[in-house]
Amino acid sequence: MAFSPAAEHYHGLVDMGSNGIRFSITDLSPSTARILPTIYQDRSDISLYDAQYLEGGKGPIPQHVIDKVLSALLRFKRTCEDFGLNNDQVRIVATEATREAVNSQDYRRQIETQIGWKVEMLAKEEEGRIGAMGIASGFSTIRGLALDLGGGSTQISWLVAKNGEVETSPKGSVSFPYGAAALMRLLDGAPGVHERDELQKQLAGGFKKAIEDLDMPSTFVKDAENEGGFTLYLSGGGFRGWGYILMSVHAIQPYPIPMINGFRVPIASFLPELSESTTDDSTFRISSRRASQVPAVIFLIQALTQSLPSISCVYFAQGGLREGLLFSTLSASVRSQDPLATATLKYAPVSTAILVKLLGASLPPYSDQNQANPPPTFYAHSFQTAVIHLLTAHAHLPKDICAATALRSTTTGLLASAHGISHDHRALLALVLCERWGHKLSPSDTEFHAKLQQLAGPEASWWAKFFGRVARGIGNLFPAGLVRHGDEHRIVHLQAQWRPSSKSKPLKKAGRGATDAVLSIELVDYREVIDELVRDWAEALEKVGKKKHWVGSRAEDDEDGFGCRVEVQIEKRAA
């Protein structure tokens, strides 16, 4: 057996759902527990819900299905042993299909006798709470309505997660017997238009009553009204499948971030007209089973849109029962950690704090008088920290591929498995890191870069380019990520501000970059030995402010383009 020093922090989990059984081992070592690093995962395509309806009406789970479950559990037990887990580090958690099975007690007894693990049963209300925790694990903050669609049931609740504290309805979640598999059976029994209309009215009425029963705080409702509607967070296999279908018809094609957690659509795009080919198993991440359930998911969504309060946008979440069970074991202080900073921590250079301060100093103070302010993401300490954490992470690679590898690092590279990072942050960090390494890309990578810019938008993309050039200068000055003791205030100093242009000719208009203000940067050089590096840095920053480097502007009067003029003044002072 291969034992790892980290094995004491490993947690094995069997999520025995209605549509399948999921096996995983997660490393909850303190430094990275917030992002729930997965060491091993597998899935057995055994539907305990379908197994109870093999003869038409509901019956017990057949013995041949139980034998398949036992075989899968035995394989997972051997895997856990190979990873160094003890029996007390493994949990089996079962939900509705096991809870409602005619032979549930015998089924669970066979597992405990032959495998040696006891099956934990989640009550309906607890299932909803844990599901909400799973959704919360996938985002830094959350405020909205949460729905978890399983095979046999759907849970709905309201959810607020901030600073590590997760709050849901004191009444728990409201559960409906309308999971994807269950609803397929109901639709098969309602072949006529009238029967289906009646079923949809039944669903819509149930959802309306659920919203009333959830006892949402008045401030929660008022905030949603002021913001144009509630934000809706969706989890569960059926909804995730729907998310991948929406990804396949997104305005940006191909959509550049192939992971469902954090995928966002406005409510107007939530229920598009689809061709038959987009709902079959040829769509990325849509199995034949999920494809067969698409009509049921659409039926449920139609009922939702008719019955829920005003919705502004929809987020899809990867987090479900597994993530919720793990996330709920973490302390509030660990849950409050920012996923982006946590995921990049192991790459952090020695002088992270000093370099983050230097990077942040390149941004001008926010001004109400200027429409070209950087987006809030760039001011966030966690985002600045992540950039510095990864400042030298790709330095060991051949120069030819540094920029391309950095560009892909948030989707298929270093951060691909990090849980809880939004699509916006993945796109912006990738763009910053690509620019940090000089933005020299092959044609295929250039196309991917363009897709990320489309996703981020011209304004954020230009600031990512600027921020990346600031990071490049910092990386050139401190290639080891080290600022020597005593040099904190004697190497370079940055100070940025908005000021009127010194040019006699006013800046020509171009989208939101239209402003006569200039991003002025004072770059203080204390050491003659770095004069050339500082001059090159200043030149690179000024170049990014030239019109040809603006993002999205194909012509002088292009309303979609964005950029800002940058002027850098180098001042020399004695060390």
Side-chain angles (χ1 to χ4, degrees), residues 40 150 211 240 327 343-344 370 401 543 575:
Y40 169 84
I211 295 297
R240 284 193 289 271
F327 198 59
T344 56
N370 197 323
I401 61 171
K543 276 185 178 179

Side-chain angles (χ1 to χ4, degrees), residues 145 147 149 154 156 176 178-179 183 186-187 195-211 232 234 239 242 267 270-271 294-311:
L145 297 174
L147 275 87
L149 174 62
T154 298
I156 182 171
F176 303 92
Y178 304 130
L183 196 51
L186 290 173
L187 289 174
E195 290 92 339
R196 294 197 171 205
D197 285 346
E198 288 301 310
L199 180 57
Q200 194 159 85
K201 286 179 185 176
Q202 183 182 335
L203 264 67
F207 285 128
K208 282 182 181 177
K209 187 174 186 309
I211 295 297
L232 187 61
L234 302 180
F239 281 144
W242 183 247
I267 190 61
F270 187 46
L271 196 59
V294 165
V297 175
I298 292 175
F299 192 83
L300 182 70
I301 288 171
Q302 288 171 336
L304 277 173
T305 54
Q306 292 172 20
S307 56
L308 290 180
S310 177
I311 301 295

Side-chain angles (χ1 to χ4, degrees), residues 5 10 73 94 120 134 531:
Y10 289 175
L73 287 170
E120 300 176 37
D531 271 1

Side-chain angles (χ1 to χ4, degrees), residues 38 132 138 157 200 236 263 272 394 417 447 460 473:
T38 302
S157 187
Q200 194 159 85
F263 178 56
H394 301 95
S417 65
E447 182 182 1

Side-chain angles (χ1 to χ4, degrees), residues 18 70 83 106 128 151 156 185 204 259 275 378 395 399 481 526 546:
S18 298
L70 293 172
F83 276 99
D106 176 60
I156 182 171
R185 288 186 54 79
M259 49 195 70
S275 66
F378 293 94
K399 280 188 176 182
Y526 292 95
K546 294 186 180 298

